[in-house]
Amino acid sequence: MDQVNQGAAPMAELWRGGVLESTHLGHAVICDAGGIVAQWGNPDAVIFPRSSCKMIQALPLVETGAADAAGLGEAHLALACASHQGAHLHVEMAGRWIADLGLAESDLRCGAHEPADREERDRLIRAGSAPCQLHNNCSGKHSGFLTVVRHQGWGAEYHEIDHPLQRAIRAASEEVTGETVSGWGVDGCSAPNFAFSVAGLAGAMAAFARAREGAGARESAMARLVAAMARHPELVAGEGRACTELMRAMGGKVAVKTGAEGVFVAILPERGIGIALKALDGNARASEAAVAALLVRLGALDPAHPAAVRRLNPVQKNWRGIETGEIRTAPGFG
Amino acid sequence: MDQVNQGAAPMAELWRGGVLESTHLGHAVICDAGGIVAQWGNPDAVIFPRSSCKMIQALPLVETGAADAAGLGEAHLALACASHQGAHLHVEMAGRWIADLGLAESDLRCGAHEPADREERDRLIRAGSAPCQLHNNCSGKHSGFLTVVRHQGWGAEYHEIDHPLQRAIRAASEEVTGETVSGWGVDGCSAPNFAFSVAGLAGAMAAFARAREGAGARESAMARLVAAMARHPELVAGEGRACTELMRAMGGKVAVKTGAEGVFVAILPERGIGIALKALDGNARASEAAVAALLVRLGALDPAHPAAVRRLNPVQKNWRGIETGEIRTAPGFG
């Protein structure tokens, strides 16, 4: 295992007026059942998956039977894997979910932040209302956490590192990556986030891609979560966002998920392939361009689809709509 | 001259839970009258200064006599060099300036964008009003441009590359950097932005640092602009912003200016020293940490000052106020 700054390779570039203005380095790995099939940068670089591993963090929700006992549908599983933008759709669904559990918004431990969704943000400002924890992009994940906790009769502080839920997530993470955690940190939503190599995370995504319902509790849970994400792209992020637009562009055949600090993963069930990548500097424009490039390479994404073009080669426009530059994947990447 | 991705060195890091999560590379140069006195990365890397060169773009405003003819004060010169956040203070001052010229907001060519200032942003949303061009962070620069254009009797499309104003800015840029431009692009505000090496930009900042009023038109203009910036930190950016807080922390003795895509410059008149730096990936958290580190190295900034601590070693807190990590300058930088 190496530090993330070891062996990063060029991933994406910003050009302006024919001059290279900025460059993003990073690491990317494509895995299948046999292991690594393609790599850029250093597969052994240790990264925090951040929100890209929400489908791993949701495994106990399905595997304990908590999801079925609570009567959750596929849409709930998608929201549990989401970094949503706090649009009315997301906030209302998380609120009903918590209420159906007989719990309150105050039982969440994710904290409140202003929603990324403009309509909901402006509604709050006009109403003079503060955002609540349901607006947090992780409120679906935390609703899933609460569902497990209530089902198992565990304690309320479910975000603490020694809580049985987090111990279960750590165990599941080590099982699907095939690695021992390389460290852990506190995420933006207060939940622990476990560090693994890029190759370990890509291997986990390949395991999700191979999973089939009926092939045991683990595989069934994996397959249900992948299907939920791929079939409900609007719940996993929101209008205009990379995850939502890319999943729609691939017609529900592929699940993709972003994570803070430049992480992106993809799960391709038809091919049994998983992707994980990290922009060394944490920039999403690089990780979005990179994941789109790898999906195109694998034949899963049409490079001419507007959602692909917006990530692969987005034209930068200024405040008067004038084209000023463009993002490109770096030579040799993808 | 080299492309920006040649020879970049570690500049800043994000740590989480004792694990290195993200790394920023970059280039930085400190110059005095004799040339480069310290460097990290590649001094010959070509960069767009973006908004960090607004004091260069304001030279024609002073040198043509337009500023004095229009009765502009030191505060106007500071606003001409600003990337302000569109607070009421900035918007009102730019609006009065334009009106005093007998011109209208529609004569600006910077475009409109939502102000970064939360109070003004929320006021607009509550009022159902769209932001106007006065809210653009460059509206002071463009007010300066209009002042020159009216004084010289030049055409209205002052942002075009062949307009006499932009030709004058290009000539001044080449004179103060001692370089021929390495290319140009369109900036966010539609004005041309000329590319130079990091060393050229640092040399230009050293020239600003050495300039004294009364030593000719160029030096007088340079000295007036530096004094205006250092004495009006609230106009150059805004509350909470790095430029404003760092200049306040240095008690008006140093002028600093950020530019988009990870650029920062500093002008130290007492030492005759200039700094220029660029984070390769364009991230401001890296350029802010880096400029603070170099100002500390030069003895201009107290590393214990809260404004310095917030840039040098900012603690990352999550939505519940829990400490999750920290930014550090990279080993060997600063």
Side-chain angles (χ1 to χ4, degrees):
Chain A
M1 297 300 160
D2 296 322
Q3 270 196 331
V4 72
N5 60 358
Q6 302 301 305
M11 180 173 266
E13 302 175 337
L14 171 64
W15 288 79
R16 182 180 298 266
V19 177
L20 178 63
E21 180 166 22
S22 296
T23 290
H24 303 280
L25 308 180
H27 311 284
V29 173
I30 302 177
C31 276
D32 67 12
I36 296 175
V37 295
Q39 66 181 64
W40 296 262
N42 182 356
D44 294 328
V46 169
I47 65 167
F48 283 111
R50 306 293 299 274
S51 288
S52 76
C53 69
K54 278 175 174 164
M55 74 295 287
I56 301 176
Q57 294 173 308
L59 287 171
L61 172 63
V62 183
E63 291 177 3
T64 61
D68 290 336
L72 300 186
E74 195 176 68
H76 292 91
L77 297 187
L79 199 65
C81 298
S83 297
H84 64 70
Q85 56 193 11
H88 179 72
L89 169 74
H90 309 114
V91 174
E92 206 221 17
M93 187 170 163
R96 270 189 288 119
W97 184 349
I98 300 289
D100 288 346
L101 292 171
L103 298 171
E105 180 265 1
S106 58
D107 291 312
L108 292 167
R109 295 291 180 269
C110 50
H113 65 74
E114 185 170 84
D117 182 78
R118 286 292 182 103
E119 201 173 313
E120 180 66 3
R121 182 199 72 171
D122 290 359
R123 189 190 69 75
L124 289 170
I125 291 169
R126 283 193 297 265
S129 305
C132 71
Q133 295 192 85
L134 298 172
H135 290 100
N136 188 304
N137 73 87
C138 299
S139 68
K141 178 176 85 171
H142 284 246
S143 298
F145 286 174
L146 282 173
T147 306
V148 182
V149 165
R150 208 198 55 160
H151 183 260
Q152 301 291 97
W154 290 338
E157 303 309 316
Y158 62 79
H159 62 292
E160 294 180 349
I161 185 70
D162 289 328
H163 189 281
L165 173 62
Q166 300 306 333
R167 291 208 304 266
I169 290 171
R170 179 184 181 133
S173 301
E174 293 188 333
E175 287 156 16
V176 296
T177 60
E179 293 183 1
T180 304
V181 298
S182 289
W184 69 278
V186 178
D187 211 335
C189 68
S190 295
N193 198 255
F194 300 107
F196 294 98
S197 74
V198 183
L201 187 59
M205 294 305 111
F208 271 86
R210 290 192 304 277
R212 296 292 175 263
E213 277 206 66
R218 169 61 46 86
E219 282 206 36
S220 290
M222 287 174 139
R224 285 176 66 185
L225 291 164
V226 172
M229 293 174 69
R231 287 184 198 147
H232 298 274
E234 74 288 356
L235 293 176
V236 175
E239 296 309 320
R241 294 270 301 279
C243 288
T244 299
E245 291 197 355
L246 290 174
M247 285 196 285
R248 279 182 182 153
M250 294 184 287
K253 295 185 173 181
V254 176
V256 303
K257 184 70 190 74
T258 190
E261 292 294 325
V263 180
F264 231 113
V265 300
I267 299 166
L268 293 79
E270 291 186 352
R271 306 275 299 275
I273 280 177
I275 299 173
L277 61 87
K278 152 99 181 164
L280 177 62
D281 53 77
N283 195 307
R285 72 185 177 195
S287 54
E288 293 182 3
V291 79
L294 298 188
L295 291 167
V296 167
R297 174 194 169 97
L298 292 168
L301 179 65
D302 175 2
H305 191 290
V309 173
R310 274 196 285 279
R311 270 80 211 183
L312 276 176
N313 191 219
V315 171
Q316 310 290 297
K317 293 190 178 181
N318 73 7
W319 304 114
R320 294 174 73 222
I322 298 168
E323 292 186 10
T324 57
E326 60 179 357
I327 304 287
R328 300 178 194 165
T329 47
F333 183 86
Chain B
M1 297 303 161
D2 296 322
Q3 269 196 331
V4 71
N5 60 357
Q6 302 301 306
M11 180 173 267
E13 302 174 338
L14 170 65
W15 288 78
R16 180 180 300 266
V19 176
L20 178 63
E21 182 167 19
S22 297
T23 291
H24 303 280
L25 309 180
H27 311 284
V29 173
I30 303 178
C31 277
D32 67 10
I36 295 174
V37 295
Q39 66 182 66
W40 296 263
N42 182 358
D44 294 327
V46 170
I47 65 169
F48 283 111
R50 305 294 299 273
S51 288
S52 76
C53 71
K54 278 176 175 165
M55 73 294 285
I56 301 176
Q57 293 173 308
L59 286 171
L61 172 64
V62 183
E63 291 178 4
T64 59
D68 291 337
L72 300 187
E74 194 176 69
H76 292 90
L77 298 187
L79 198 66
C81 299
S83 298
H84 64 72
Q85 56 192 11
H88 179 72
L89 169 75
H90 309 116
V91 174
E92 207 223 16
M93 188 170 163
R96 269 189 290 118
W97 184 349
I98 300 289
D100 288 346
L101 291 172
L103 298 171
E105 180 266 3
S106 58
D107 292 311
L108 292 167
R109 294 290 180 267
C110 50
H113 65 74
E114 186 171 84
D117 182 78
R118 285 292 183 105
E119 200 172 314
E120 179 67 3
R121 182 200 72 171
D122 290 359
R123 188 190 69 74
L124 289 171
I125 291 169
R126 283 193 298 265
S129 305
C132 70
Q133 295 193 84
L134 298 171
H135 289 101
N136 187 304
N137 74 89
C138 299
S139 68
K141 178 175 87 172
H142 283 248
S143 298
F145 285 174
L146 283 175
T147 307
V148 181
V149 166
R150 208 198 55 160
H151 183 262
Q152 302 291 99
W154 290 338
E157 303 309 318
Y158 61 80
H159 62 291
E160 294 179 350
I161 185 69
D162 289 326
H163 189 281
L165 173 62
Q166 301 305 336
R167 290 208 305 265
I169 289 171
R170 180 184 181 134
S173 301
E174 293 188 333
E175 288 157 15
V176 296
T177 59
E179 293 182 1
T180 304
V181 297
S182 289
W184 70 278
V186 177
D187 210 336
C189 69
S190 296
N193 198 255
F194 299 106
F196 294 98
S197 74
V198 183
L201 187 59
M205 295 304 111
F208 271 87
R210 291 193 303 278
R212 297 292 175 261
E213 277 207 65
R218 168 62 47 85
E219 282 206 36
S220 290
M222 287 174 138
R224 286 175 67 184
L225 291 164
V226 172
M229 292 173 70
R231 287 182 197 149
H232 299 274
E234 75 285 358
L235 293 176
V236 175
E239 295 309 320
R241 294 272 301 278
C243 288
T244 298
E245 291 198 354
L246 290 173
M247 286 197 282
R248 280 181 181 154
M250 295 185 286
K253 294 184 172 181
V254 176
V256 302
K257 184 72 191 74
T258 191
E261 291 295 323
V263 180
F264 231 115
V265 301
I267 300 167
L268 292 80
E270 290 185 352
R271 307 275 299 277
I273 280 177
I275 298 172
L277 62 86
K278 153 100 182 163
L280 176 62
D281 53 77
N283 196 308
R285 70 184 178 196
S287 54
E288 292 182 4
V291 78
L294 298 187
L295 292 167
V296 167
R297 174 193 169 99
L298 292 169
L301 178 65
D302 175 2
H305 191 290
V309 173
R310 273 197 284 278
R311 270 81 211 183
L312 275 175
N313 192 218
V315 171
Q316 310 290 298
K317 293 189 179 181
N318 73 7
W319 303 114
R320 295 174 71 222
I322 298 168
E323 292 185 11
T324 57
E326 60 178 358
I327 304 288
R328 300 178 193 164
T329 47
F333 184 85

